[in-house]
Amino acid sequence: MRILSLRRAGVLALAVGATVGLAACSGASAPGSSSSAADETGTRVALSYPGGIVVLDGETLEVVGDVDSEEFTRLNSAGDGRHVMVTTSAGFQVLDAGTATDAPVLTDLVFPAEKAGHVVVHGGKTVLYADGTSDTTVFDTDALLASTDDLPDTETIPGVQAHHGVSIVLEDGSFVTTVGNADGRTGIVVKDPSGGTVAESADCPGVHGEGTAQGEVVVFGCEDGALIFEGGGITKVDAPDQPYGRTGNLFVSDTSPLVLGDYKDDRDAEGYLLHRVALIDTATKTQTVVDMPEGAAYTFRDLARGPGDLGYVLASDGAIHVFDPEARAFTDAFPVIDAWEGPVEWQDAHPAIKVSGDIAYVTEPAKNRVHAVDLTTGDVRATATLEVTPNEIALTR
């Protein structure tokens, strides 16, 4: 495992309120030897910036590592409490976020992929999708913890026609993946563990995003609604707006049948700010749309689920807006950052939110800041000002 240049960006200013409710203890085992060290360390926050990735302690927001990487990378949790998948030109590169005694390193471990894309963690499996081939790579999520110099054992499921897609492996071994080609994306297909087709649908133009709700019900977003896979069958749910009402990113809880999604109702709208959210009820197979509060908009990076199965939307007015899925309504708002404008390009740094337990981590690129917010009270528990401008964010847990 090679350690790339460790520059330690350094925190210029660190304001800490009450202690963040995430455990962090001393004591760790050797890298990759067990999950106990990562469990004791608590959450690590990985933030990309042009040419590197900075790693923060989730409790104090102190910088614990800073590594070189490519100019633009995407970050996703590997699901094992310690590692982050870094999307690079070579594939999915493994970032070891470290422990209380081991510094973060960007390892030499790379899952090869042509145009590395989505990462899905579910049912003890981590699933990597290559847009350039539509191949899917699957491995046991915890296997990375035991891998120090070599990649863990993987299974590769060959793609059919290359497209920007996503796959998931269910607990019974069923394989669900998107269908498309260079001209567009059309739907999903479900295969049993032997490769036989269980169900398929081509009624999902622009299929994008995936989420697994209560009862392992799988939902995919479409440009005119959503597809729901449950009990061996696929149901199409129409969006309220036709022929275009796009949901492309889904936010779920495994204890709720209600799925929160982003929503765009104007195909030709300029920019990336959105003004409505989608709610897909997997029990009733219906979709409703709710307007954001006055003066509040968001992008695909600004939605999350958190305590009480509630939804949380980091909006352009600088507040986290609390959404009650049962009531289909926004019920509260917590001011966190300054008001902001939408990005010119989706890759541009703009505010984002990720949640671990009761804590939301919020980026504020305009001020090079990161905030830890207690979602049960709305209090900002810690704020760090960095020497770099944060863009993508991923948590280890």
Side-chain angles (χ1 to χ4, degrees):
M1 186 179 294
R2 178 171 59 91
I3 300 177
L4 299 184
S5 175
L6 186 63
R7 297 189 304 278
R8 296 199 64 91
V11 177
L12 295 178
L14 180 63
V16 182
T19 303
V20 175
L22 298 174
C25 310
S26 60
S29 51
S33 63
S34 75
S35 62
S36 61
D39 290 340
E40 293 173 356
T41 299
T43 299
R44 289 285 170 88
V45 182
L47 301 159
S48 69
Y49 64 89
I53 302 164
V54 64
V55 181
L56 311 183
D57 178 272
E59 181 176 1
T60 65
L61 296 188
E62 291 180 290
V63 174
V64 295
D66 186 0
V67 300
D68 290 322
S69 188
E70 295 180 355
E71 185 70 11
F72 177 77
T73 58
R74 307 210 71 186
L75 305 178
N76 289 278
S77 170
D80 62 1
R82 178 164 176 171
H83 296 95
V84 171
M85 291 298 178
V86 182
T87 301
T88 70
S89 57
F92 299 92
Q93 189 167 4
V94 179
L95 171 68
D96 183 342
T99 67
T101 58
D102 299 313
V105 296
L106 186 60
T107 74
D108 274 342
L109 301 180
V110 179
F111 294 88
E114 184 177 335
K115 296 182 180 178
H118 282 280
V119 178
V120 173
V121 179
H122 177 76
K125 302 289 186 182
T126 299
V127 182
L128 313 175
Y129 192 92
D131 291 346
T133 60
S134 284
D135 291 350
T136 301
T137 299
V138 184
F139 64 92
D140 290 339
T141 298
D142 286 342
L144 268 180
L145 294 169
S147 299
T148 56
D149 298 316
D150 298 299
L151 292 173
D153 292 337
T154 63
E155 175 188 4
T156 298
I157 303 171
V160 179
Q161 291 181 290
H163 64 279
H164 177 54
V166 63
S167 301
I168 181 173
V169 176
L170 303 183
E171 293 183 2
D172 66 359
S174 297
F175 174 68
V176 190
T177 190
T178 53
V179 175
N181 55 37
D183 297 323
R185 306 182 299 274
T186 57
I188 64 171
V189 62
V190 185
K191 303 280 189 177
D192 64 24
S194 67
T197 299
V198 173
E200 57 187 326
S201 171
D203 191 17
C204 189
V207 58
H208 187 276
E210 165 277 335
T212 307
Q214 185 179 44
E216 209 178 26
V217 179
V218 186
V219 183
F220 290 81
C222 313
E223 291 183 349
D224 59 359
L227 293 182
I228 298 175
F229 173 69
E230 178 184 20
I234 299 172
T235 302
K236 174 63 180 290
V237 176
D238 290 330
D241 299 285
Q242 295 293 330
Y244 187 84
R246 181 184 186 272
T247 295
N249 298 276
L250 301 165
F251 302 85
V252 299
S253 165
D254 60 11
T255 56
S256 172
L258 303 176
V259 177
L260 177 66
D262 57 6
Y263 191 76
K264 181 179 181 181
D265 56 13
D266 182 354
R267 187 190 300 270
D268 300 320
E270 295 183 0
Y272 296 92
L273 287 178
L274 303 173
H275 303 271
R276 307 167 78 189
V277 297
L279 187 73
I280 300 162
D281 189 329
T282 62
T284 62
K285 306 298 190 293
T286 57
Q287 179 175 336
T288 55
V289 175
V290 179
D291 291 339
M292 287 290 295
E294 179 91 21
Y298 67 96
T299 78
F300 64 96
R301 290 184 179 173
D302 300 316
L303 299 95
R305 297 295 284 272
D309 288 337
L310 297 174
Y312 297 87
V313 184
L314 175 64
S316 57
D317 61 0
I320 296 175
H321 292 264
V322 182
F323 181 74
D324 184 340
E326 295 284 352
R328 271 67 166 173
F330 287 93
T331 59
D332 206 348
F334 308 139
V336 179
I337 62 177
D338 289 346
W340 51 277
E341 297 181 352
V344 176
E345 303 292 343
W346 69 264
Q347 300 96 330
D348 294 343
H350 61 280
I353 184 172
K354 292 288 185 181
V355 173
S356 176
D358 292 342
I359 304 301
Y361 296 93
V362 171
T363 64
E364 189 175 9
K367 292 188 173 181
N368 291 352
R369 287 180 176 174
V370 183
H371 309 271
V373 183
D374 187 333
L375 293 176
T376 65
T377 64
D379 294 336
V380 176
R381 308 298 294 273
T383 291
T385 301
L386 309 173
E387 290 181 345
V388 297
T389 300
N391 193 346
E392 291 262 332
I393 178 172
L395 310 179
T396 55
R397 63 183 66 243

